[in-house]
PDB file of all heavy atoms in Angstrom:
ATOM      1  N   ILE A  90       7.842   2.197  18.265  1.00 91.00           N
ATOM      2  CA  ILE A  90       8.452   3.215  17.413  1.00 91.00           C
ATOM      3  C   ILE A  90       7.391   3.663  16.409  1.00 91.00           C
ATOM      4  O   ILE A  90       6.859   2.848  15.664  1.00 91.00           O
ATOM      5  CB  ILE A  90       9.680   2.667  16.661  1.00 91.00           C
ATOM      6  CG1 ILE A  90      10.739   2.177  17.647  1.00 91.00           C
ATOM      7  CG2 ILE A  90      10.266   3.734  15.731  1.00 91.00           C
ATOM      8  CD1 ILE A  90      11.907   1.467  16.977  1.00 91.00           C
ATOM      9  N   ASN A  91       7.081   4.936  16.406  1.00 85.00           N
ATOM     10  CA  ASN A  91       6.110   5.466  15.463  1.00 85.00           C
ATOM     11  C   ASN A  91       6.860   5.931  14.214  1.00 85.00           C
ATOM     12  O   ASN A  91       7.568   6.932  14.239  1.00 85.00           O
ATOM     13  CB  ASN A  91       5.346   6.627  16.098  1.00 85.00           C
ATOM     14  CG  ASN A  91       4.159   7.054  15.281  1.00 85.00           C
ATOM     15  OD1 ASN A  91       3.470   6.224  14.704  1.00 85.00           O
ATOM     16  ND2 ASN A  91       3.911   8.347  15.231  1.00 85.00           N
ATOM     17  N   SER A  92       6.741   5.185  13.126  1.00 79.00           N
ATOM     18  CA  SER A  92       7.529   5.470  11.924  1.00 79.00           C
ATOM     19  C   SER A  92       6.657   5.443  10.679  1.00 79.00           C
ATOM     20  O   SER A  92       6.181   4.390  10.255  1.00 79.00           O
ATOM     21  CB  SER A  92       8.658   4.438  11.769  1.00 79.00           C
ATOM     22  OG  SER A  92       9.330   4.606  10.543  1.00 79.00           O
ATOM     23  N   GLY A  93       6.468   6.614  10.085  1.00 66.00           N
ATOM     24  CA  GLY A  93       5.711   6.681   8.849  1.00 66.00           C
ATOM     25  C   GLY A  93       6.419   6.035   7.681  1.00 66.00           C
ATOM     26  O   GLY A  93       5.814   5.742   6.648  1.00 66.00           O
ATOM     27  N   SER A  94       7.728   5.774   7.840  1.00 62.00           N
ATOM     28  CA  SER A  94       8.515   5.165   6.759  1.00 62.00           C
ATOM     29  C   SER A  94       8.653   3.658   6.927  1.00 62.00           C
ATOM     30  O   SER A  94       9.467   3.032   6.258  1.00 62.00           O
ATOM     31  CB  SER A  94       9.911   5.801   6.716  1.00 62.00           C
ATOM     32  OG  SER A  94      10.611   5.552   7.928  1.00 62.00           O
ATOM     33  N   ARG A  95       7.843   3.078   7.825  1.00 59.00           N
ATOM     34  CA  ARG A  95       7.980   1.658   8.134  1.00 59.00           C
ATOM     35  C   ARG A  95       7.945   0.759   6.902  1.00 59.00           C
ATOM     36  O   ARG A  95       8.705  -0.208   6.802  1.00 59.00           O
ATOM     37  CB  ARG A  95       6.862   1.243   9.095  1.00 59.00           C
ATOM     38  CG  ARG A  95       6.877  -0.223   9.483  1.00 59.00           C
ATOM     39  CD  ARG A  95       5.617  -0.611  10.219  1.00 59.00           C
ATOM     40  NE  ARG A  95       4.432  -0.476   9.375  1.00 59.00           N
ATOM     41  CZ  ARG A  95       3.195  -0.751   9.790  1.00 59.00           C
ATOM     42  NH1 ARG A  95       2.980  -1.131  11.036  1.00 59.00           N
ATOM     43  NH2 ARG A  95       2.162  -0.620   8.965  1.00 59.00           N
ATOM     44  N   ASP A  96       7.063   1.072   5.964  1.00 60.00           N
ATOM     45  CA  ASP A  96       6.877   0.195   4.810  1.00 60.00           C
ATOM     46  C   ASP A  96       7.925   0.390   3.727  1.00 60.00           C
ATOM     47  O   ASP A  96       7.998  -0.408   2.793  1.00 60.00           O
ATOM     48  CB  ASP A  96       5.478   0.409   4.218  1.00 60.00           C
ATOM     49  CG  ASP A  96       4.378  -0.017   5.193  1.00 60.00           C
ATOM     50  OD1 ASP A  96       4.648  -0.915   6.013  1.00 60.00           O
ATOM     51  OD2 ASP A  96       3.285   0.558   5.130  1.00 60.00           O
ATOM     52  N   THR A  97       8.723   1.448   3.827  1.00 60.00           N
ATOM     53  CA  THR A  97       9.742   1.695   2.804  1.00 60.00           C
ATOM     54  C   THR A  97      11.160   1.623   3.351  1.00 60.00           C
ATOM     55  O   THR A  97      12.119   1.604   2.579  1.00 60.00           O
ATOM     56  CB  THR A  97       9.543   3.089   2.171  1.00 60.00           C
ATOM     57  OG1 THR A  97       9.607   4.095   3.201  1.00 60.00           O
ATOM     58  CG2 THR A  97       8.206   3.171   1.464  1.00 60.00           C
ATOM     59  N   GLN A  98      11.297   1.570   4.659  1.00 70.00           N
ATOM     60  CA  GLN A  98      12.631   1.601   5.251  1.00 70.00           C
ATOM     61  C   GLN A  98      12.666   0.770   6.529  1.00 70.00           C
ATOM     62  O   GLN A  98      11.771   0.874   7.377  1.00 70.00           O
ATOM     63  CB  GLN A  98      13.023   3.051   5.564  1.00 70.00           C
ATOM     64  CG  GLN A  98      14.457   3.226   6.038  1.00 70.00           C
ATOM     65  CD  GLN A  98      14.781   4.685   6.331  1.00 70.00           C
ATOM     66  OE1 GLN A  98      14.010   5.385   6.967  1.00 70.00           O
ATOM     67  NE2 GLN A  98      15.904   5.151   5.843  1.00 70.00           N
ATOM     68  N   ASN A  99      13.679  -0.075   6.675  1.00 80.00           N
ATOM     69  CA  ASN A  99      13.885  -0.845   7.894  1.00 80.00           C
ATOM     70  C   ASN A  99      14.433   0.091   8.961  1.00 80.00           C
ATOM     71  O   ASN A  99      15.590   0.517   8.880  1.00 80.00           O
ATOM     72  CB  ASN A  99      14.864  -1.999   7.617  1.00 80.00           C
ATOM     73  CG  ASN A  99      15.093  -2.868   8.838  1.00 80.00           C
ATOM     74  OD1 ASN A  99      14.708  -2.524   9.956  1.00 80.00           O
ATOM     75  ND2 ASN A  99      15.744  -4.006   8.630  1.00 80.00           N
ATOM     76  N   VAL A 100      13.616   0.430   9.956  1.00 79.00           N
ATOM     77  CA  VAL A 100      14.041   1.417  10.942  1.00 79.00           C
ATOM     78  C   VAL A 100      15.264   0.955  11.728  1.00 79.00           C
ATOM     79  O   VAL A 100      16.027   1.771  12.241  1.00 79.00           O
ATOM     80  CB  VAL A 100      12.898   1.762  11.919  1.00 79.00           C
ATOM     81  CG1 VAL A 100      11.727   2.392  11.193  1.00 79.00           C
ATOM     82  CG2 VAL A 100      12.448   0.548  12.707  1.00 79.00           C
ATOM     83  N   PHE A 101      15.468  -0.351  11.812  1.00 81.00           N
ATOM     84  CA  PHE A 101      16.579  -0.852  12.614  1.00 81.00           C
ATOM     85  C   PHE A 101      17.917  -0.799  11.874  1.00 81.00           C
ATOM     86  O   PHE A 101      18.952  -1.173  12.425  1.00 81.00           O
ATOM     87  CB  PHE A 101      16.275  -2.259  13.118  1.00 81.00           C
ATOM     88  CG  PHE A 101      15.089  -2.282  14.034  1.00 81.00           C
ATOM     89  CD1 PHE A 101      13.886  -2.832  13.628  1.00 81.00           C
ATOM     90  CD2 PHE A 101      15.158  -1.714  15.293  1.00 81.00           C
ATOM     91  CE1 PHE A 101      12.777  -2.826  14.453  1.00 81.00           C
ATOM     92  CE2 PHE A 101      14.061  -1.699  16.131  1.00 81.00           C
ATOM     93  CZ  PHE A 101      12.870  -2.255  15.712  1.00 81.00           C
ATOM     94  N   LEU A 102      17.891  -0.332  10.623  1.00 79.00           N
ATOM     95  CA  LEU A 102      19.152  -0.022   9.958  1.00 79.00           C
ATOM     96  C   LEU A 102      19.748   1.256  10.530  1.00 79.00           C
ATOM     97  O   LEU A 102      20.941   1.519  10.369  1.00 79.00           O
ATOM     98  CB  LEU A 102      18.938   0.128   8.447  1.00 79.00           C
ATOM     99  CG  LEU A 102      18.593  -1.151   7.681  1.00 79.00           C
ATOM    100  CD1 LEU A 102      18.340  -0.831   6.218  1.00 79.00           C
ATOM    101  CD2 LEU A 102      19.712  -2.174   7.815  1.00 79.00           C
ATOM    102  N   SER A 103      18.910   2.037  11.187  1.00 82.00           N
ATOM    103  CA  SER A 103      19.381   3.260  11.834  1.00 82.00           C
ATOM    104  C   SER A 103      20.168   2.899  13.090  1.00 82.00           C
ATOM    105  O   SER A 103      19.638   2.228  13.981  1.00 82.00           O
ATOM    106  CB  SER A 103      18.194   4.145  12.215  1.00 82.00           C
ATOM    107  OG  SER A 103      18.585   5.125  13.161  1.00 82.00           O
ATOM    108  N   PRO A 104      21.410   3.327  13.202  1.00 85.00           N
ATOM    109  CA  PRO A 104      22.194   3.046  14.409  1.00 85.00           C
ATOM    110  C   PRO A 104      21.527   3.580  15.676  1.00 85.00           C
ATOM    111  O   PRO A 104      21.659   2.990  16.746  1.00 85.00           O
ATOM    112  CB  PRO A 104      23.534   3.747  14.149  1.00 85.00           C
ATOM    113  CG  PRO A 104      23.627   3.853  12.662  1.00 85.00           C
ATOM    114  CD  PRO A 104      22.208   4.054  12.195  1.00 85.00           C
ATOM    115  N   PHE A 105      20.795   4.687  15.549  1.00 89.00           N
ATOM    116  CA  PHE A 105      20.123   5.256  16.719  1.00 89.00           C
ATOM    117  C   PHE A 105      19.093   4.281  17.269  1.00 89.00           C
ATOM    118  O   PHE A 105      19.086   3.973  18.459  1.00 89.00           O
ATOM    119  CB  PHE A 105      19.455   6.584  16.362  1.00 89.00           C
ATOM    120  CG  PHE A 105      18.558   7.102  17.455  1.00 89.00           C
ATOM    121  CD1 PHE A 105      19.096   7.745  18.554  1.00 89.00           C
ATOM    122  CD2 PHE A 105      17.185   6.917  17.400  1.00 89.00           C
ATOM    123  CE1 PHE A 105      18.280   8.207  19.586  1.00 89.00           C
ATOM    124  CE2 PHE A 105      16.358   7.376  18.415  1.00 89.00           C
ATOM    125  CZ  PHE A 105      16.908   8.028  19.515  1.00 89.00           C
ATOM    126  N   TYR A 106      18.206   3.786  16.404  1.00 90.00           N
ATOM    127  CA  TYR A 106      17.156   2.891  16.878  1.00 90.00           C
ATOM    128  C   TYR A 106      17.722   1.558  17.373  1.00 90.00           C
ATOM    129  O   TYR A 106      17.267   1.013  18.377  1.00 90.00           O
ATOM    130  CB  TYR A 106      16.123   2.647  15.781  1.00 90.00           C
ATOM    131  CG  TYR A 106      15.155   3.790  15.601  1.00 90.00           C
ATOM    132  CD1 TYR A 106      14.953   4.367  14.358  1.00 90.00           C
ATOM    133  CD2 TYR A 106      14.443   4.294  16.683  1.00 90.00           C
ATOM    134  CE1 TYR A 106      14.064   5.424  14.194  1.00 90.00           C
ATOM    135  CE2 TYR A 106      13.550   5.346  16.539  1.00 90.00           C
ATOM    136  CZ  TYR A 106      13.368   5.907  15.293  1.00 90.00           C
ATOM    137  OH  TYR A 106      12.488   6.953  15.138  1.00 90.00           O
ATOM    138  N   SER A 107      18.695   1.018  16.675  1.00 91.00           N
ATOM    139  CA  SER A 107      19.259  -0.260  17.111  1.00 91.00           C
ATOM    140  C   SER A 107      19.932  -0.128  18.473  1.00 91.00           C
ATOM    141  O   SER A 107      19.808  -1.013  19.327  1.00 91.00           O
ATOM    142  CB  SER A 107      20.250  -0.790  16.069  1.00 91.00           C
ATOM    143  OG  SER A 107      21.309   0.124  15.852  1.00 91.00           O
ATOM    144  N   GLU A 108      20.613   0.992  18.710  1.00 92.00           N
ATOM    145  CA  GLU A 108      21.289   1.177  19.995  1.00 92.00           C
ATOM    146  C   GLU A 108      20.302   1.442  21.123  1.00 92.00           C
ATOM    147  O   GLU A 108      20.399   0.846  22.207  1.00 92.00           O
ATOM    148  CB  GLU A 108      22.290   2.333  19.916  1.00 92.00           C
ATOM    149  CG  GLU A 108      23.040   2.555  21.229  1.00 92.00           C
ATOM    150  CD  GLU A 108      24.105   3.635  21.152  1.00 92.00           C
ATOM    151  OE1 GLU A 108      24.449   4.062  20.033  1.00 92.00           O
ATOM    152  OE2 GLU A 108      24.612   4.048  22.220  1.00 92.00           O
ATOM    153  N   ILE A 109      19.336   2.298  20.896  1.00 94.00           N
ATOM    154  CA  ILE A 109      18.413   2.644  21.991  1.00 94.00           C
ATOM    155  C   ILE A 109      17.494   1.477  22.333  1.00 94.00           C
ATOM    156  O   ILE A 109      17.192   1.235  23.504  1.00 94.00           O
ATOM    157  CB  ILE A 109      17.605   3.913  21.653  1.00 94.00           C
ATOM    158  CG1 ILE A 109      16.984   4.468  22.945  1.00 94.00           C
ATOM    159  CG2 ILE A 109      16.513   3.646  20.611  1.00 94.00           C
ATOM    160  CD1 ILE A 109      16.403   5.857  22.795  1.00 94.00           C
ATOM    161  N   ILE A 110      17.075   0.701  21.324  1.00 95.00           N
ATOM    162  CA  ILE A 110      16.230  -0.469  21.610  1.00 95.00           C
ATOM    163  C   ILE A 110      17.032  -1.514  22.393  1.00 95.00           C
ATOM    164  O   ILE A 110      16.518  -2.151  23.319  1.00 95.00           O
ATOM    165  CB  ILE A 110      15.677  -1.079  20.316  1.00 95.00           C
ATOM    166  CG1 ILE A 110      14.680  -0.111  19.675  1.00 95.00           C
ATOM    167  CG2 ILE A 110      15.000  -2.419  20.585  1.00 95.00           C
ATOM    168  CD1 ILE A 110      13.488   0.239  20.527  1.00 95.00           C
ATOM    169  N   GLY A 111      18.304  -1.698  22.043  1.00 95.00           N
ATOM    170  CA  GLY A 111      19.153  -2.622  22.791  1.00 95.00           C
ATOM    171  C   GLY A 111      19.288  -2.210  24.245  1.00 95.00           C
ATOM    172  O   GLY A 111      19.222  -3.048  25.160  1.00 95.00           O
ATOM    173  N   ALA A 112      19.469  -0.902  24.491  1.00 96.00           N
ATOM    174  CA  ALA A 112      19.596  -0.407  25.861  1.00 96.00           C
ATOM    175  C   ALA A 112      18.284  -0.542  26.632  1.00 96.00           C
ATOM    176  O   ALA A 112      18.278  -0.901  27.814  1.00 96.00           O
ATOM    177  CB  ALA A 112      20.047   1.057  25.833  1.00 96.00           C
ATOM    178  N   ILE A 113      17.161  -0.266  25.965  1.00 97.00           N
ATOM    179  CA  ILE A 113      15.850  -0.392  26.606  1.00 97.00           C
ATOM    180  C   ILE A 113      15.580  -1.843  26.995  1.00 97.00           C
ATOM    181  O   ILE A 113      15.142  -2.139  28.115  1.00 97.00           O
ATOM    182  CB  ILE A 113      14.751   0.143  25.671  1.00 97.00           C
ATOM    183  CG1 ILE A 113      14.825   1.675  25.583  1.00 97.00           C
ATOM    184  CG2 ILE A 113      13.360  -0.287  26.153  1.00 97.00           C
ATOM    185  CD1 ILE A 113      13.894   2.278  24.554  1.00 97.00           C
ATOM    186  N   GLU A 114      15.839  -2.767  26.085  1.00 96.00           N
ATOM    187  CA  GLU A 114      15.607  -4.192  26.360  1.00 96.00           C
ATOM    188  C   GLU A 114      16.441  -4.657  27.546  1.00 96.00           C
ATOM    189  O   GLU A 114      15.945  -5.371  28.424  1.00 96.00           O
ATOM    190  CB  GLU A 114      15.928  -5.014  25.116  1.00 96.00           C
ATOM    191  CG  GLU A 114      15.547  -6.484  25.208  1.00 96.00           C
ATOM    192  CD  GLU A 114      16.540  -7.329  26.007  1.00 96.00           C
ATOM    193  OE1 GLU A 114      17.746  -6.988  25.982  1.00 96.00           O
ATOM    194  OE2 GLU A 114      16.114  -8.306  26.654  1.00 96.00           O
ATOM    195  N   LYS A 115      17.691  -4.242  27.587  1.00 95.00           N
ATOM    196  CA  LYS A 115      18.579  -4.666  28.673  1.00 95.00           C
ATOM    197  C   LYS A 115      18.078  -4.154  30.019  1.00 95.00           C
ATOM    198  O   LYS A 115      18.020  -4.909  31.009  1.00 95.00           O
ATOM    199  CB  LYS A 115      19.998  -4.154  28.415  1.00 95.00           C
ATOM    200  CG  LYS A 115      20.995  -4.538  29.489  1.00 95.00           C
ATOM    201  CD  LYS A 115      22.388  -4.006  29.159  1.00 95.00           C
ATOM    202  CE  LYS A 115      23.389  -4.382  30.244  1.00 95.00           C
ATOM    203  NZ  LYS A 115      24.751  -3.847  29.931  1.00 95.00           N
TER     204      LYS A 115
END
Side-chain angles (χ1 to χ4, degrees):
I90 300 173
N91 191 38
S92 173
S94 62
R95 179 190 64 180
D96 295 332
T97 58
Q98 187 180 45
N99 182 348
V100 297
F101 297 108
L102 291 177
S103 163
F105 170 79
Y106 282 127
S107 59
E108 181 176 347
I109 197 168
I110 292 300
I113 288 173
E114 188 281 329
K115 180 179 180 181

